[in-house]
Amino acid sequence: MLLPITIAVIRVPPTWLLRVAILVTLASGMIACTPPEPLRIGFLGGLSGRVADLGIGGRNGAILAVEMRNQQGGIKGRRVELIAEDDQQDTEVARQAVARLLARQVPVIIGPMTSAMAMVVVPEINAAGIPLIAPTVTTNALTGIDDQFFRVVAPTATHVLKSAEYHFVEQGLRRVALVCDLRNKAYSESWAGDFRKAFAAMGGSIVAELGFDSSDSLAALATKVLARKPDGVMIIANSVDTGLLVQQIRMRNASVRLGTAEWAATERLLELGGKAVEGLVVAQYVDRESKAAAYLSFRHAYRQRFAQEPGFAGLTAFDATNVALDALAGQSSGQTLKEAILAHGEYAGAQSPIRFDAHGDTRRDTFLSVIRDGEFRSLR
């Protein structure tokens, strides 16, 4: 008896269906292998013009922090990308630059590098509701305000006393003239006001207080300053104008004592000032002779990457960027970045720890140096 034979019928799908299936499989694989969108953060600083050394140093410090974080895997599996904008130390340009960064939906902006630009952009940042972490803004006008503004250096009221005390006690100055750059008025007026108050409290007097801007002759300014016969002149200006003004003063008076605020303390001051700035007392946000391992590691990495000294701009921008990256890494669901920054507690800066108060202000020591043999040498 013959047994029934079962025949299996294999249905072959049409060619077009096979092609679709293959394409879907390939597309799924490509999606799975596509890296996530980069996490973009902003940087704002003067990258051109007279204060470009400050802005470029700050941008480089931010770049270094981002590159080092990406070498460690980025933030939550995403690479970090820095979008840098040039504010040109100009009010309208700064506003437009912030608008472009906000249009890119950055969660945080590092900068700006001057107090004048901070006063311009902080209202825009507050309206957008994202943090602004400033590396070098010290104006007292932004102190103690519950807003989106953070800074990794202290306001002038907490550190100018050190300069006033040194010039009164160590150098014996009693009659001092102040020269202020009006293009960064928010900074220069804060610094001058705090110096005036501290110096007067010790028994000294301010015999002249002169402001200048880009239209003024530095030669004429030097003559006006010296006409009041001060025994010391404090210059509160950027590195370029400080170096050039010191040259003009030295041509007229070789013995008057000269000092600066922290803003001038970049390598550009040494380059432009030449022999005229020898003996100039310079306030600093960075201890250039620090032997701390973290600082030496940072300085080595910065010099390897950019073939120049980081100075205070590179250091503080590196710190500010790492604050942002640490907060982004620790931000939890439903938490604003401002809340994450404040909740983090102490941050490990390259030279000193950073801890914010409830208003985004912090404390940071300053250091005094003197220019000798074309280098900054520590005084304390």
Side-chain angles (χ1 to χ4, degrees):
M1 182 177 174
L2 295 175
L3 297 175
I5 299 174
T6 303
I7 300 175
V9 179
I10 301 174
R11 299 183 182 275
V12 180
T15 303
W16 67 268
L17 191 56
L18 283 172
R19 289 175 179 169
V20 170
I22 292 169
L23 289 173
V24 169
T25 302
L26 289 173
S28 299
M30 290 175 66
I31 291 172
C33 295
T34 301
E37 187 77 6
L39 175 59
R40 297 182 176 91
I41 65 173
F43 173 85
L44 179 68
L47 303 176
S48 59
R50 286 181 100 75
V51 297
D53 57 336
L54 191 68
I56 292 171
R59 180 200 61 192
N60 290 350
I63 288 172
L64 182 62
V66 166
E67 290 179 348
M68 291 175 74
R69 190 61 58 109
N70 283 335
Q71 290 170 3
Q72 299 166 7
I75 302 293
K76 299 177 180 177
R78 298 171 66 184
R79 285 184 60 79
V80 183
E81 180 181 315
L82 185 73
I83 304 173
E85 288 280 355
D86 182 5
D87 63 32
Q88 299 179 29
Q89 193 67 10
D90 179 274
T91 298
E92 188 52 38
V93 173
R95 289 197 181 100
Q96 293 173 5
V98 167
R100 287 192 295 272
L101 289 173
L102 294 177
R104 299 292 297 274
Q105 297 184 323
V106 297
V108 61
I109 296 175
I110 310 303
M113 300 298 288
T114 65
S115 294
M117 293 300 97
M119 296 298 293
V120 170
V121 304
V122 162
E124 315 289 327
I125 295 299
N126 287 338
I130 71 167
L132 180 76
I133 308 178
T136 52
V137 171
T138 61
T139 178
N140 293 327
L142 293 172
T143 302
I145 303 172
D146 185 12
D147 57 7
Q148 295 288 334
F149 175 72
F150 292 81
R151 54 179 154 199
V152 298
V153 292
T156 60
T158 68
H159 61 73
V160 171
L161 172 63
K162 179 176 284 190
S163 289
E165 186 177 50
Y166 179 82
H167 289 289
F168 185 89
V169 176
E170 303 295 333
Q171 294 206 306
L173 302 187
R174 296 296 181 268
R175 292 170 47 82
V176 168
L178 302 178
V179 183
C180 302
D181 185 345
L182 299 178
R183 288 162 296 185
N184 192 9
K185 197 173 181 180
Y187 169 78
S188 60
E189 286 194 344
S190 277
W191 207 98
D194 291 327
F195 185 93
R196 186 192 315 113
K197 181 179 178 181
F199 196 67
M202 286 180 274
S205 63
I206 303 301
V207 298
E209 190 166 342
L210 302 175
F212 73 98
D213 59 29
S214 57
S215 65
D216 293 325
S217 161
L218 294 181
L221 180 61
T223 299
K224 288 180 183 177
V225 169
L226 294 173
R228 298 303 299 271
K229 301 190 183 306
D231 53 17
V233 178
M234 295 299 300
I235 302 171
I236 312 162
N238 63 72
S239 59
V240 174
D241 287 315
T242 297
L244 297 177
L245 180 57
V246 167
Q247 289 180 340
Q248 293 295 328
I249 291 174
R250 284 289 178 236
M251 288 169 61
R252 293 159 175 77
N253 187 321
S255 61
V256 66
R257 300 279 191 171
L258 301 176
T260 75
E262 292 81 0
W263 185 17
T266 73
E267 273 57 33
R268 192 78 171 128
L269 174 63
L270 303 176
E271 295 167 9
L272 287 176
K275 291 190 178 300
V277 297
E278 286 289 309
L280 179 67
V281 175
V282 185
Q284 303 263 354
Y285 292 122
V286 54
D287 178 4
R288 290 171 176 265
E289 297 179 14
S290 170
K291 303 302 180 186
Y295 172 68
L296 294 177
S297 176
F298 154 74
R299 181 172 176 245
H300 175 74
Y302 189 100
R303 293 174 68 184
Q304 287 287 105
R305 176 66 172 82
F306 302 108
Q308 61 188 37
E309 289 291 335
F312 74 89
L315 174 75
T316 55
F318 180 79
D319 281 353
T321 307
N322 277 319
V323 165
L325 297 176
D326 286 349
L328 285 164
Q331 184 180 14
S332 59
S333 178
Q335 188 181 44
T336 68
L337 188 55
K338 175 182 177 178
E339 291 170 341
I341 293 172
L342 293 174
H344 185 280
E346 187 172 278
Y347 294 84
Q351 195 164 89
S352 57
I354 301 163
R355 180 178 286 276
F356 299 107
D357 65 19
H359 299 125
D361 294 315
T362 190
R363 300 186 68 83
R364 191 187 196 104
D365 200 3
T366 56
F367 306 88
L368 294 176
S369 62
V370 63
I371 298 176
R372 291 198 186 107
D373 301 321
E375 295 182 355
F376 294 112
R377 302 289 179 83
S378 177
L379 283 171
R380 289 185 176 180

